[in-house]
Amino acid sequence: MSDDRPTYALGICGKGYEEAGGGQPLVELLTIEGYQVRCGFFLARTPVFDPADAHRAAVLVETSAFSCNYRDKALILRMANLPLKGSFYPIGSELCGRVAQVGVSVADLAIGDKVIVDGYWASGAAPWGLPTNHASRTLQVLPSSKLMRVPEAMSDVEAASISIGGQTSFGMVRRAEVAEGSRVLVTGGSSNTSLFLLQAARLAGGEVSVTTTSVGKVERLQALGASNVFVIDPAGGPLAADEAVAAYVKDSGGFDVVLDPFADLYLHRVVTAMAVGGRYISCGVERQFPPAGMPLSPDDGRGLIGAAEFLTVMTRNLIIMGNFLGTTEDLSRAVAAWAKGQLPLAIDSVVESPAGGPMRGAGAFLSRTYLDRERFGKVVYRYT
């Protein structure tokens, strides 16, 4: 069965793309990490939904809002450097949508349900991780097992913001065994993941400290529950050498847990500030795609940890963990915390398509998401 509504998506054009014609929207140009990125909203192939056979365990989702994450940035830059002349790559990691059609084997979702993506990552769970890299598509077929129903009281903008941050942060806090009174450090304070980590650790009973490189964001981090906010030099050395951090470590004995979204920026800096038996966990790296003119190689000067730092890891019996997303239960806990008023979602801004006109705003959406240092929280695109 085919839905007769036109399907749109926020797309990234490759190298050599000429200005779109044939009724397609105007392509916008911006620069990210030194690369020219051409983007716009394009007419996309409308999915053919086959509820009785090919899509018996799937649903057709009509997207009302979507957002991008740090992982999308690498995809955007990769696609912007491919020779995709005359074509585009739809982007987006998170969405809020309504179920428009259901497969015959689907029992837990119904037409009209408001849903978000569930990116649980486990052996045997197919597909692994997020079910789509194309969340901006206004119509898409997704496995019912990788979607979660959310409360009607949750706005579309909030729903399009919670999947990755909520699932990742509640998973990391669980795995790092944050408990009542744990001394917790969250690095990279104003990244979207860190804002979730701050709140998830606080809800678990942790005394949460946060690092940031921006003095202007201290009060907003405190408002979200940070007990201490350390303003650090982004190019500095070990955090334990920072005067304020050193004083905290001397008084407390160090951090029991470090929750870090960017291992290549902070792992080598935090180990000497950790308590004996402390637990470090990270969900990613900052250098996912090389800036223009700089090749990405195994030896690019961004090693995670040196011999001296590893000696600290050994002598203090530190535990170093990696994390990818989380379980369905982790995402459920995040949604439940929101429903109880315990997890206010940091929404930076909302970009909308103009009513009654062609879809616009791709450049503004991506620019605020990735280029504006004043951004604090999620940027969401909402279809109207």
Side-chain angles (χ1 to χ4, degrees):
M1 178 177 179
S2 176
D3 194 293
D4 59 3
R5 289 167 291 181
T7 300
Y8 293 91
L10 196 168
I12 304 300
C13 310
K15 280 186 174 180
Y17 187 91
E18 298 174 357
E19 186 168 303
Q24 292 279 34
L26 182 69
V27 173
E28 298 183 72
L29 177 66
L30 61 157
T31 301
I32 301 177
E33 299 285 357
Y35 296 104
Q36 288 192 330
V37 175
R38 292 172 174 82
C39 60
F41 283 94
F42 297 88
L43 280 169
R45 181 180 59 83
T46 297
V48 176
F49 190 72
D50 181 7
D53 190 8
H55 303 134
R56 60 186 301 112
V59 299
L60 181 67
V61 176
E62 183 174 5
T63 303
S64 56
F66 70 91
S67 67
C68 289
N69 289 268
Y70 200 77
R71 66 184 297 277
D72 293 281
K73 185 178 179 180
L75 288 172
I76 289 169
L77 296 180
R78 186 172 294 114
M79 295 305 157
N81 283 279
L82 290 178
L84 300 176
K85 187 174 182 179
S87 62
F88 66 95
Y89 180 84
I91 62 169
S93 289
E94 296 184 74
L95 63 82
C96 171
R98 295 279 180 180
V99 174
Q101 297 183 48
V102 298
V104 295
S105 297
V106 176
D108 54 345
L109 291 174
I111 292 175
D113 283 347
K114 178 184 285 190
V115 294
I116 60 175
V117 294
D118 176 0
Y120 70 87
W121 177 269
S123 178
W128 286 14
L130 295 170
T132 181
N133 291 325
H134 318 299
S136 65
R137 290 176 61 93
T138 55
L139 282 173
Q140 52 197 303
V141 178
L142 297 172
S144 64
S145 62
K146 302 309 299 286
L147 296 171
M148 179 177 291
R149 186 188 300 108
V150 293
E152 285 294 329
M154 180 179 284
S155 72
D156 291 0
V157 168
E158 291 171 312
S161 305
I162 196 172
S163 288
I164 291 180
Q167 195 157 38
T168 298
S169 61
F170 277 72
M172 289 173 68
V173 165
R174 169 181 54 80
R175 293 188 60 214
E177 299 179 1
V178 176
E180 192 70 36
S182 295
R183 299 184 300 275
V184 180
L185 177 66
V186 175
T187 62
S190 57
S191 80
N192 288 324
T193 301
S194 296
L195 297 179
F196 276 97
L197 287 168
L198 160 59
Q199 297 188 80
R202 176 181 54 78
L203 288 174
E207 176 192 277
V208 187
S209 300
V210 183
T211 68
T212 183
T213 59
S214 173
V215 174
K217 295 178 180 177
V218 171
E219 290 186 1
R220 285 181 281 185
L221 290 167
Q222 291 172 333
L224 289 176
S227 299
N228 305 286
V229 180
F230 302 115
V231 181
I232 63 170
D233 180 355
L239 291 189
D242 178 272
E243 184 177 350
V245 176
Y248 179 89
V249 170
K250 181 179 180 180
D251 291 342
S252 68
F255 295 102
D256 301 310
V257 175
V258 175
L259 306 172
D260 179 14
F262 302 120
D264 54 340
L265 295 185
Y266 295 107
L267 174 55
H268 65 288
R269 300 184 68 182
V270 301
V271 292
T272 54
M274 295 179 66
V276 173
R279 300 171 298 284
Y280 167 97
I281 187 167
S282 178
C283 59
V285 294
E286 187 269 343
R287 179 69 59 79
Q288 295 187 17
F289 197 86
M294 183 179 295
L296 183 64
S297 70
D299 184 21
D300 67 351
R302 301 289 291 274
L304 296 183
I305 194 167
E309 292 85 4
F310 191 70
L311 183 61
T312 300
V313 173
M314 290 191 299
T315 56
R316 296 191 185 181
N317 284 315
L318 303 182
I319 298 172
I320 308 295
M321 293 180 282
N323 186 83
F324 190 86
L325 294 165
T327 66
T328 296
E329 290 72 25
D330 294 324
L331 181 55
S332 292
R333 282 193 286 271
V335 172
W338 175 90
K340 295 176 183 177
Q342 299 173 335
L343 184 65
L345 301 179
I347 305 298
D348 173 85
S349 54
V350 179
V351 181
E352 295 183 336
S353 56
M359 290 187 182
R360 304 269 184 183
F365 170 77
L366 291 178
S367 179
R368 185 67 179 182
T369 298
Y370 295 116
L371 300 178
D372 199 325
R373 294 185 60 84
E374 294 304 310
R375 179 193 56 77
F376 190 84
K378 294 284 288 184
V379 181
V380 178
Y381 194 96
R382 179 168 55 195
Y383 293 118
T384 56

